[in-house]
Amino acid sequence: MSEVVVLGAGMHPWGKWGRNFVEYGVVAARAALADAGLGWDDVGFLAAGNTMRNGYPGYVSGSTFAQALGWRGTRVSSSFAACASGAVAIDSARAQIQAGRCDVALVVGADTAPKGFFGPLPGVRPEDPDWIRFHVLGATNPTYFALYARRRMEAYGATADDFAAVKIKNSRHGLENPNARYRKAFTAAEIAESPVVADPLRLVDICATSDGAAALVLASAEYAARRADRDRHVRIAAISTVTPRYPNTYLDMPDIATDSAVGAASPERSFRDSIAHAAYEEAGLGPDDLSLAEVYDLSTALELDWYENIGLCAEGEAEALLRSGATALGGRVPVNPSGGLACFGEAIPAQAIAQVVELTTQLRGEAGGRQVTGARVGLSINQGLFGHGSCVIATR
Amino acid sequence: MKPRRPVVEGYFEERADGSVVLVGGRCDACGAYFFPKRFSFCRNPGCGAPGLADVELSTRGVLWSFTDNRYAPPPPYPAAEPFEPYGVGAVTLEAEQMVVLGQLARGTDVSALRAGQLMELCAEDLYETDDAVFRVWKWRTA
């Protein structure tokens, strides 16, 4: 199966603008098309990531954006896969191209997020695990992030200083990103003054909920080969959207209990490990090949988990890797050179696309003050609710 | 006195003698446990047996991780006014080889907890209406 090529990437800056999510999506889509030197009439397929918090238009995002860009009889798809929604949309577009059904596809994700904690959808729904965890236990997303953070402290000796060091690193990276919502370099003293939300995590350890949009223009290798801008082309080497394998004995949102390991052999890899592994296998690449990674730092502590999940270091060694400076800009394999969720906050259906926009920008050598020198291979990865996750590997 | 009701039906039982048990499902074919039971069939892909028996889960386990919530969650959490912070613990049940989440009993000093320590199940009031007091299972240090 030939690799598809990223011809264009665009974003609407992240923030808390309070406007209709469609406005952001159209800005990002037009930016991606302009970046590719193409028009909406060149697009044979539009794949969009859904938003759950903006009514019906958010559930049919493909046609919502097609209508906003002007009906042209385009084939569309609308995907929801929690935090992996954007990557599933990219995968959907890639499949259409690889099947020969179109040359050029547009991928869009946009969100308008409510203030404060994410809650479940309204209504009384005891059949919905997402409703149960809020109603019965008051277990918010930060509750789970804090359980994972405390587990790192108990199992591997992580400290609050390590979590703060992740924040300081990412906040410095984000200074150089014009699309980031938060562009402020945090100091250890400022972090120490941030209120504890869920011990051991402070407000600044936890990513905000944001408005924003990201878009990509993808094309077949054959189509791309006919263009003059080949030095800007970035290839999608792999997209992984695997589910966990039973029994999943790690407590994942929104469940209030894990699977039982009785009666079945435990899987070879944890869920998060397996998301990366499937992408490495497809790309024929490994952790040593990475120039950079964009990982889903829903919390500062979670970034450390990802170092191990993507194979940058062995289990329990993420804090040492962080302290070595390897994951900061200028280090061996910078992680979240975009500034990550720490600087963006989360705009759910846009976020996985935004990660690939960053990979594209870095691999083209167009990242300005946050450029990873000589970037050849980039990996982006995330995990969402209900067994969704995704990993994309892009190459120059 | 208002009647006591569980905050959710079918997840746990409080007995006349004051004991509390979580009620899950157990597959007779492969032995797997499920909490909550949720479906009528086994979700082990190597099994898939059609029925699950109701089963009482272990009432003791070891603490896997823990935290607290210092800000009121959004609805549908029935937060009291003024908001009362609470702890949350994830406890590994040895026989079932699974982790079960619960709030920590009122008064638990989260800063004194350590992973690996023994915990036991209890139940406390979560909220009350004009008609009833709603109860929930919790973990406390054993």
Side-chain angles (χ1 to χ4, degrees):
Chain A
M1 207 66 87
S2 66
E3 293 175 348
V4 305
V5 176
V6 181
L7 292 184
M11 293 175 73
H12 182 288
W14 261 231
K16 208 73 170 183
W17 316 104
R19 295 203 299 276
N20 189 322
F21 76 98
V22 183
E23 300 261 348
Y24 312 139
V26 167
V27 167
R30 291 195 170 133
L33 287 165
D35 183 46
L38 293 171
W40 168 224
D41 54 346
D42 294 308
V43 173
F45 184 78
L46 186 157
N50 289 353
T51 165
M52 287 293 113
R53 294 179 172 82
N54 292 279
Y56 214 126
Y59 304 151
V60 292
S61 55
S63 61
T64 294
F65 291 125
Q67 183 188 35
L69 290 164
W71 294 126
R72 276 193 169 275
T74 313
R75 292 169 191 263
V76 299
S77 76
S78 307
S79 304
F80 191 71
C83 298
S85 297
V88 171
I90 297 170
D91 200 25
S92 171
R94 181 176 75 149
Q96 293 284 327
I97 292 167
Q98 287 177 329
R101 302 183 79 177
C102 67
D103 283 324
V104 176
L106 175 64
V107 183
V108 188
D111 207 2
T112 302
K115 194 171 159 48
F117 287 117
F118 278 134
L121 295 177
V124 176
R125 297 186 322 278
E127 302 291 324
D128 177 353
D130 200 39
W131 187 87
I132 285 287
R133 58 130 170 173
F134 278 97
H135 181 62
V136 174
L137 299 179
T140 63
N141 292 4
T143 306
Y144 286 80
F145 306 155
L147 289 169
Y148 306 150
R150 175 58 66 181
R151 184 65 198 169
R152 278 209 77 82
M153 298 172 92
E154 295 287 317
Y156 310 129
T159 67
D161 288 346
D162 294 320
F163 304 155
V166 173
K167 179 71 177 186
I168 291 167
K169 170 183 76 71
N170 288 345
S171 73
R172 283 184 188 150
H173 291 177
L175 287 177
E176 302 291 340
N177 194 335
N179 288 314
R181 174 178 174 189
Y182 302 104
R183 297 175 72 188
K184 168 188 157 46
F186 275 85
T187 65
E190 287 167 330
I191 294 167
E193 285 171 9
S194 174
V196 174
V197 171
D199 177 77
L201 297 180
R202 299 176 182 279
L203 187 60
V204 295
D205 286 304
I206 298 162
C207 93
T209 64
S210 291
D211 298 1
L216 293 166
V217 176
L218 305 181
S220 66
E222 296 73 22
Y223 181 93
R226 296 196 293 271
R227 289 168 54 102
D229 60 349
R230 287 189 291 280
D231 60 333
R232 292 183 84 230
H233 291 183
V234 166
R235 293 173 183 280
I236 301 291
I239 304 173
S240 156
T241 58
V242 297
T243 69
R245 284 179 181 273
Y246 181 90
N248 181 8
T249 53
Y250 194 83
L251 186 69
D252 277 329
M253 289 188 288
D255 292 322
I256 62 168
T258 66
D259 290 337
S260 155
V262 174
S266 286
E268 192 180 343
R269 291 177 191 82
S270 74
F271 176 39
R272 283 202 298 264
D273 286 357
S274 73
I275 298 168
H277 179 79
Y280 283 134
E281 272 210 326
E282 183 184 335
L285 296 169
D288 292 343
D289 297 309
L290 298 185
S291 312
L292 69 136
E294 284 283 312
V295 307
Y296 227 58
D297 55 322
L298 291 163
S299 81
T300 49
L302 203 58
E303 176 166 316
L304 299 169
D305 286 334
W306 284 120
Y307 292 178
E308 299 165 9
N309 301 133
I310 67 175
L312 297 185
C313 62
E315 190 178 325
E317 294 179 2
E319 288 75 14
L321 185 71
L322 172 75
R323 290 174 201 143
S324 78
T327 60
L329 273 171
R332 175 170 65 81
V333 53
V335 174
N336 286 332
S338 71
L341 298 183
C343 296
F344 274 76
E346 189 186 19
I348 295 173
Q351 210 67 46
I353 301 170
Q355 288 183 313
V356 179
V357 170
E358 179 67 11
L359 300 187
T360 301
T361 308
Q362 290 285 352
L363 294 171
R364 286 168 166 179
E366 296 175 354
R370 64 180 196 283
Q371 180 65 47
V372 176
T373 308
R376 308 284 311 174
V377 179
L379 173 149
S380 65
I381 194 161
N382 68 35
Q383 183 192 358
L385 276 69
F386 287 97
H388 272 301
S390 69
C391 181
V392 176
I393 296 176
T395 61
R396 213 6 318 172
Chain B
M1 204 166 102
K2 294 176 188 176
R4 288 174 156 192
R5 294 202 191 123
V7 64
V8 57
E9 291 292 336
Y11 281 46
F12 73 107
E13 289 177 7
E14 289 190 78
R15 305 280 159 75
D17 65 0
S19 63
V20 184
V21 289
L22 295 171
V23 179
R26 184 174 183 276
C27 175
D28 286 336
C30 74
Y33 293 84
F34 298 93
F35 179 76
K37 191 174 172 184
R38 277 186 76 197
F39 303 118
S40 60
F41 46 83
C42 178
R43 285 183 276 143
N44 174 356
C47 176
L52 295 181
D54 283 347
V55 64
E56 295 179 5
L57 302 184
S58 301
T59 57
R60 290 190 157 207
V62 297
L63 192 60
W64 180 76
S65 192
F66 51 93
T67 183
D68 58 10
N69 274 356
R70 303 196 185 178
Y71 292 88
Y77 185 69
E81 289 278 354
F83 174 68
E84 183 189 356
Y86 51 88
V88 175
V91 172
T92 304
L93 307 183
E94 189 183 6
E96 294 83 357
Q97 297 181 46
M98 68 195 298
V99 173
V100 176
L101 203 58
Q103 283 193 2
L104 297 168
R106 278 192 186 87
T108 302
D109 179 3
V110 171
S111 67
L113 296 175
R114 282 292 163 263
Q117 77 181 82
L118 192 63
M119 306 293 287
E120 66 184 9
L121 202 67
C122 62
E124 288 182 352
D125 297 350
L126 184 64
Y127 70 104
E128 62 180 271
T129 64
D130 290 342
D131 306 322
V133 174
F134 288 87
R135 304 272 291 173
V136 69
W137 77 88
K138 294 195 179 187
W139 294 110
R140 69 181 175 207
T141 53

